[in-house]
Amino acid sequence: MLSVTNLCAGYGLVQVLSNVTLFVPKGAVVALLGANGAGKTTALNTIAGLMRPTAGEVEFQGKRCSALPAHEIVRQGVSLVPEQRELFLSMTVEENLKLGAYTRNDPAEIRQSHDFVFDMFPRLAERRNQVARTLSGGEQQMLAIGRGLMARPELLLLDEPSLGIAPLLVREIFEQIRKINQLGVSLLVVEQNAKIALDVASIGYVMENGRITLQGSAEMLKSDPKIQEAYLGV
Ligand code: ATP
């Protein structure tokens, strides 16, 4: 479904990603793990078209998309939930969700997506008229994921969904991530909480200094002594 080959990208003269190659098979949850500053956000932003690669390819459903503008990549079925959530804080939950559907022109089906998000996150339904600024961190993350779903993606890119969120809500959000996947959406999840990410994912990649240094099934990664020591606190 998503195929990233030898991707290189950076900021000005600073190269961050070096020959990153990874795959997300259709229907899978794939975890991208790594320490602070490893380049995970840069990788997601480059896949989503927010940054241009300096070399390499991104293909989605067999179609090259590394040269497409970000909104066109959303239209192809790839939606990013960014690390800082980037919500419109003075707008309501409902208004933020509506903006997630900006590439679509099918009012009846947008309504269905809207109901789908409220079924998935009842807390958002209860707070539909509340401005985003007044939501808790966990609720804001739910809204960011909900807004991503409003584009009706086939692949959702999630950047650190657990960041700054109380442990109980993190578990709730990851349960919903599992449900979103069971409903047919593939996911590439960047996470520092390796344990929870590898519990939901079937495949994982580890990034260090802009390179993929380890990859394999989630089970294999969980039992790897290096991963256990560096990321699982064993
Ligand atoms: P974190 O989990 O802390 O977000 P990350 O693995 O997502 O880390 P990136 O945010 O992709 O890492 O950052 C990778 C490198 O690129 C870091 O050295 C960072 O300082 C640098 N970097 C990120 N954004 C910019 C920017 N806008 N301009 C210059 N350098 C940047």
Side-chain angles (χ1 to χ4, degrees):
M1 159 167 268
L2 178 77
S3 158
V4 174
T5 318
N6 292 324
L7 197 67
C8 299
Y11 305 91
L13 293 176
V14 181
Q15 181 168 347
V16 173
L17 301 182
S18 302
N19 294 312
V20 170
T21 294
L22 61 84
F23 302 96
V24 180
K26 193 170 172 56
V29 179
V30 175
L32 177 58
L33 311 174
N36 270 332
K40 307 177 301 295
T41 295
T42 305
L44 283 198
N45 287 347
T46 310
I47 293 168
L50 298 174
M51 287 177 64
R52 289 280 146 241
T54 49
E57 290 292 343
V58 178
E59 277 186 16
F60 181 65
Q61 315 268 47
K63 227 172 129 183
R64 183 168 173 258
C65 54
S66 2
L68 295 177
H71 65 272
E72 199 45 54
I73 294 178
V74 177
R75 266 202 196 105
Q76 303 286 324
V78 181
S79 181
L80 170 71
V81 180
E83 183 172 20
Q84 302 298 337
R85 301 175 196 136
E86 315 281 357
L87 295 170
F88 296 94
L89 293 174
S90 55
M91 293 169 91
T92 64
V93 165
E94 200 128 29
E95 287 164 344
N96 271 280
L97 289 179
K98 271 195 195 128
L99 285 168
Y102 77 103
T103 54
R104 297 173 60 184
N105 192 17
D106 48 358
E109 290 181 35
I110 290 174
R111 193 76 234 158
Q112 280 176 11
S113 299
H114 194 264
D115 294 345
F116 171 78
V117 170
F118 280 161
D119 282 349
M120 186 71 67
F121 297 111
R123 278 163 184 269
L124 294 182
E126 289 160 17
R127 292 161 174 77
R128 64 179 72 214
N129 296 318
Q130 199 169 318
V131 291
R133 177 175 290 110
T134 60
L135 298 175
S136 75
E139 290 159 1
Q140 288 191 8
Q141 186 61 62
M142 291 175 191
L143 180 54
I145 295 174
R147 186 185 55 186
L149 288 172
M150 288 299 291
R152 209 171 38 180
E154 290 180 60
L155 172 67
L156 197 58
L157 308 172
L158 287 185
D159 198 349
E160 299 266 6
S162 76
L163 197 73
I165 296 176
L168 209 65
L169 274 190
V170 169
R171 209 158 305 139
E172 193 177 322
I173 286 172
F174 270 84
E175 273 318 308
Q176 298 316 96
I177 290 173
R178 201 193 293 275
K179 228 181 256 170
I180 291 166
N181 176 245
Q182 284 163 353
L183 291 168
V185 180
S186 311
L187 290 111
L188 175 57
V189 185
V190 158
E191 251 306 332
Q192 285 199 34
N193 185 337
K195 185 178 176 328
I196 198 154
L198 290 175
D199 280 346
V200 175
S202 58
I203 299 167
Y205 289 84
V206 178
M207 183 177 271
E208 290 175 79
N209 295 321
R211 295 173 191 274
I212 300 295
T213 52
L214 200 58
Q215 65 190 76
S217 71
E219 288 311 310
M220 186 278 259
L221 291 176
K222 272 195 255 183
S223 57
D224 185 295
K226 211 176 120 201
I227 298 291
Q228 290 187 340
E229 194 189 327
Y231 301 105
L232 298 174
V234 176

